[in-house]
Amino acid sequence: MNNDDESVKILPSHEMGISKRADGTVLCYSEDSIEIELKSIKNIGIENIIDIEKYEIINLFDSVSHYMKFHGGGEVQLSYNLDGRLLDLEITNVFIVVKEGNKITLKRALDNKSSVLHELQ
């Protein structure tokens, strides 16, 4: 990490497995939920748009909600207010790549046995 990177805190609700890949990537997985605490989120992206089966955007009062369903069953729901402040982010059966502690990329999880998968780089 360099001086501009931010820390990521991982809080599993129950048991969580951790493995390290040859490239230094840490993979966290669990059958239950895993909460990730980030100081800030600079951006959220999708690794490959063709992995999206369904995408909905709903404007409701002073907020915007996005719903994404990935091929294979993964789902993402996120809401933010008109100032860009994140209100809610729920992710199931989707890889979450966190770079520099504040940049999130969503990836289709090929193995849907684990309910939540997180990859830190």
Side-chain angles (χ1 to χ4, degrees), residues 30-80:
S30 174
E31 291 293 327
D32 297 307
S33 64
I34 298 174
E35 182 177 327
I36 297 180
E37 186 177 294
L38 304 169
K39 290 182 182 177
S40 67
I41 298 175
K42 190 177 246 181
N43 61 50
I44 300 174
I46 300 167
E47 181 187 59
N48 194 341
I49 196 71
I50 66 168
D51 290 334
I52 302 295
E53 180 179 324
K54 182 178 182 178
Y55 194 110
E56 295 178 356
I57 300 174
I58 300 169
N59 293 294
L60 186 63
F61 303 109
D62 293 334
S63 68
V64 179
S65 295
H66 293 255
Y67 169 78
M68 292 166 261
K69 181 175 181 182
F70 286 74
H71 291 287
E75 295 184 45
V76 175
Q77 296 180 51
L78 69 101
S79 301
Y80 54 89

Side-chain angles (χ1 to χ4, degrees), residues 17-31:
I18 299 174
S19 61
K20 186 174 181 180
R21 295 183 176 170
D23 66 359
T25 301
V26 176
L27 181 65
C28 305
Y29 49 92
S30 174
E31 291 293 327

